[in-house]
Amino acid sequence: MKIDAIRRSYTKDKLDLDKLHADPIRQFEQWLKDAIAAELPDPTAMCVATVDESGQPSQRLVLLKDVSADGFVFYTNLGSRKATELAANPKVSLHFPWHPLERQVIVYGTAERVSNTQVMKYFLSRPKESQLAAWASEQSRPVSTRQALMQKFAEIKHKFEHGEVPLPSFWGGFLVRPHQIEFWQGGEHRLHDRFMYRKEDDSRWSIDRLCP
């Protein structure tokens, strides 16, 4: 399979300093709105990169569930690989790949657990089947067959057939507090526009243009 000639030109837009908001969260919110308006599939999907104790990175796609001045929030099984790695090393990177818009955003920060109140509020907003799945799946653990997983799901569904599904003690959320955020806009001839926001000691954000 020959893939070295697969490429395309990026000509949709340009990004200049005077187009950027001084606050990267505001800038991110605008780009997220653009992705939603463009009806991109899974516009809130982001790649979450963590590192284990040996220095081995791992990645997975999860859905962003909140963004605010504090940072970016997602939820997960606390026994999962990402949660285990974040417990040992809270440094994390998020990547939003909005390919059809020829844009991407990369977030560098540290992760911390969100409050149980916040976790409960989100958990109760999920469809019941998703709540049941949180109970049924021992995320990142080996499972013998798909059938075994579905059997566990059926058992959980029967157990909580009536009434609300309680919040599992092993389920929670993380807030990623950013200290750097990069905005990337594809450009002609691989001369892309890249701007890096860095949080300074006084909590203000500086902005640098980066070479592509």
Side-chain angles (χ1 to χ4, degrees):
M1 182 171 59
K2 187 175 176 59
I3 62 173
D4 62 333
I6 298 177
R7 63 176 61 87
R8 65 186 177 91
S9 297
Y10 300 106
T11 59
K12 283 187 176 295
D13 204 355
K14 296 183 183 299
L15 191 60
D16 295 310
L17 183 60
D18 59 6
K19 287 185 177 181
L20 292 173
H21 198 284
D23 182 344
I25 299 298
R26 295 283 298 277
Q27 182 65 40
F28 176 84
E29 289 175 336
Q30 181 57 59
W31 273 23
L32 178 58
K33 288 178 182 177
D34 292 345
I36 294 170
E39 299 183 340
L40 301 190
D42 300 320
T44 61
M46 59 183 181
C47 180
V48 178
T50 57
V51 180
D52 69 14
E53 293 178 334
S54 73
Q56 174 63 55
S58 62
Q59 305 174 65
R60 71 288 293 162
L61 288 175
V62 304
L63 298 181
L64 176 71
K65 288 303 175 182
D66 190 29
V67 59
S68 69
D70 292 328
F72 305 80
V73 174
F74 67 91
Y75 297 89
T76 186
N77 185 309
L78 298 177
S80 65
R81 178 172 180 173
K82 58 183 169 297
T84 302
E85 292 180 351
L86 287 173
N89 181 352
K91 294 181 179 179
V92 62
S93 181
L94 312 176
H95 178 221
F96 295 85
W98 294 318
H99 301 301
L101 298 180
E102 299 173 1
R103 289 175 174 176
Q104 56 184 322
V105 177
I106 306 172
V107 178
Y108 304 87
T110 55
E112 61 188 57
R113 293 270 299 276
V114 302
S115 70
N116 287 336
T117 300
Q118 186 173 347
V119 174
M120 175 65 81
K121 181 179 179 180
Y122 171 69
F123 186 78
L124 292 177
S125 75
R126 303 181 88 197
K128 187 170 185 177
E129 289 74 14
S130 296
Q131 295 175 348
L132 297 171
W135 277 96
S137 175
E138 298 181 43
Q139 196 173 112
S140 301
R141 300 292 189 272
V143 61
S144 58
T145 63
R146 173 79 181 182
Q147 184 178 3
L149 177 63
M150 296 311 296
Q151 177 61 35
K152 180 68 177 294
F153 180 79
E155 293 170 1
I156 293 296
K157 186 174 183 179
H158 177 71
K159 180 179 179 179
F160 299 122
E161 184 175 2
H162 304 290
E164 291 186 347
V165 180
L167 173 68
S169 60
F170 51 82
W171 205 82
F174 287 91
L175 166 67
V176 176
R177 294 187 181 274
H179 57 79
Q180 293 184 357
I181 304 180
E182 178 182 341
F183 292 84
W184 183 101
Q185 178 73 60
E188 291 183 288
H189 316 303
R190 296 300 183 267
L191 297 176
H192 312 302
D193 292 314
R194 299 175 59 194
F195 287 92
M196 178 70 82
Y197 290 76
R198 292 183 174 86
K199 198 167 193 177
E200 304 296 343
D201 293 339
D202 60 2
S203 294
R204 290 187 298 178
W205 291 92
S206 63
I207 310 175
D208 293 308
R209 177 182 276 275
L210 305 180
C211 289

